[in-house]
Amino acid sequence: LDIMNVSDDKDDERLREQYDMESATFLQIWGYVLFLFVLCFQGFAFYVFVILFCIDRMVDKNLGLAIFFITLFCLTFSMMILNYVRCVFANPGHVPPSFVPDSRVSGQDSDGQTPRKFCRKCDRPKPDRAHHCSVCQKCILQYDHHCPYVANCVGFRNQKFFVLFVTYTTLTVVVVLGCMIPGLIMAFENLGSENNTGNPLIIVLYFLCVGICLFMLPFSIFHWRLVFSGTTTIETQLPKAQNIRGDFVYRWDLGWKRNFFTRFGTRPLYWFLPT
């Protein structure tokens, strides 16, 4: 009977591993689909705003304002693209196979041999703040989450690029919304009339940007809050610790200024660049 129970346990474990692998494969494929979707939307937004709205509709009416709109949009749009590319292709912080824990820092279990931080999936020790990603099948330093829109994990090495990407995305849609208000009013006024020269793609882009802004603005605020509190999305689920002043803070909170410096560096020139 014991032999049969052991065999059943092994079969259940094998089925769970197979299910995890199939789920990870699906999420990887879905991530590439979302990656293509993001690229298509970025191209669509550039075409509609710059070509259809600014060049076709505004250049003849107000050349200076059209140039200002294009410059402002291209500035935020290019920074969004650059940070997006860096976030997608950067190593998020894979724990190297050669990692050896320092017992003075990480500590050991009661047997005196097993590291306190040990990944059973990778079958190797891992440092503090590292978590295993079931999609990438790797342990990530300061793992925040696996983002399907960038087809990559967000971790120690690319968190800055991710935060800047969502920030510049928010700024880009805000620029589009602000600049297109006069043109949108005219498009609605001429809608259905014989002298209608508007383009329905302008209206489509505007309402798409409204939806994106409603999602990305609180999302950006949330991730800036994580930066200044020195924590990650997954660590917000852990209990806070009490500091010497009696305040309850996240375990790795060094104060908002030092938290910011550890992620963005100490040189202001590079804070908002994809470097």
Side-chain angles (χ1 to χ4, degrees):
L1 183 61
D2 292 339
I3 295 176
M4 293 179 62
N5 290 334
V6 171
S7 178
D8 291 340
D9 292 341
K10 290 183 177 180
D11 291 339
D12 292 340
E13 184 176 356
R14 192 180 300 111
L15 289 174
R16 283 195 297 269
E17 291 179 355
Q18 182 179 357
Y19 175 78
D20 291 341
M21 290 296 295
E22 292 176 352
S23 300
T25 302
F26 171 77
L27 290 175
Q28 285 178 336
I29 297 174
W30 180 241
Y32 295 134
V33 172
L34 293 178
F35 172 74
L36 293 175
F37 170 77
V38 171
L39 292 180
C40 290
F41 173 78
Q42 291 169 344
F44 172 77
F46 184 88
Y47 169 74
V48 173
F49 183 81
V50 175
I51 306 299
L52 297 183
F53 179 73
C54 291
I55 295 180
D56 289 352
R57 295 177 62 88
M58 292 198 61
V59 168
D60 295 336
K61 299 177 182 179
N62 193 328
L63 178 60
L65 190 61
I67 294 176
F68 173 74
F69 284 174
I70 293 175
T71 303
L72 187 61
F73 174 82
C74 288
L75 178 63
T76 58
F77 183 82
S78 60
M79 294 304 297
M80 176 186 68
I81 295 293
L82 290 174
N83 281 283
Y84 183 68
V85 172
R86 290 300 307 272
C87 186
V88 170
F89 295 103
N91 179 350
H94 299 147
V95 177
S98 59
F99 170 74
V100 177
D102 188 343
S103 60
R104 295 171 301 176
V105 177
S106 298
Q108 296 176 338
D109 283 343
S110 57
D111 59 7
Q113 297 178 351
T114 305
R116 187 172 298 167
K117 295 288 186 179
F118 189 85
C119 179
R120 299 185 183 277
K121 297 291 184 66
C122 298
D123 194 27
R124 63 170 66 106
K126 62 181 180 181
D128 288 334
R129 308 190 74 181
H131 297 274
H132 185 86
C133 175
S134 59
V135 180
C136 297
Q137 296 296 314
K138 293 180 180 179
C139 285
I140 309 297
L141 293 169
Q142 290 190 24
Y143 177 76
D144 189 275
H145 70 289
H146 184 93
C147 181
Y149 290 96
V150 301
N152 197 5
C153 287
V154 177
F156 175 73
R157 297 186 182 277
N158 67 345
Q159 185 186 17
K160 174 189 174 182
F161 306 137
F162 179 79
V163 174
L164 290 180
F165 163 64
V166 298
T167 302
Y168 281 116
T169 300
T170 305
L171 292 177
T172 300
V173 297
V174 168
V175 168
V176 171
L177 293 175
C179 295
M180 290 179 64
I181 288 178
L184 186 71
I185 295 175
M186 292 178 57
F188 271 114
E189 289 177 349
N190 297 329
L191 196 64
S193 63
E194 295 181 356
N195 61 344
N196 180 22
T197 59
N199 194 310
L201 292 180
I202 296 177
I203 300 177
V204 171
L205 176 63
Y206 191 88
F207 283 103
L208 281 176
C209 288
V210 169
I212 293 174
C213 187
L214 291 175
F215 172 76
M216 294 300 290
L217 182 59
F219 191 66
S220 300
I221 294 174
F222 171 75
H223 276 278
W224 278 108
R225 178 174 172 269
L226 294 180
V227 169
F228 287 112
S229 61
T231 189
T232 62
T233 300
I234 195 171
E235 289 173 351
T236 58
Q237 310 302 317
L238 303 176
K240 296 183 179 181
Q242 193 171 12
N243 61 16
I244 57 176
R245 295 182 303 176
D247 301 326
F248 285 92
V249 297
Y250 293 110
R251 180 182 177 186
W252 307 99
D253 191 352
L254 303 174
W256 69 268
K257 186 178 293 185
R258 292 180 63 187
N259 292 332
F260 179 81
F261 288 161
T262 58
R263 286 160 172 78
F264 285 75
T266 57
R267 304 176 67 178
L269 180 63
Y270 300 106
W271 282 350
F272 303 105
L273 297 177
T275 58

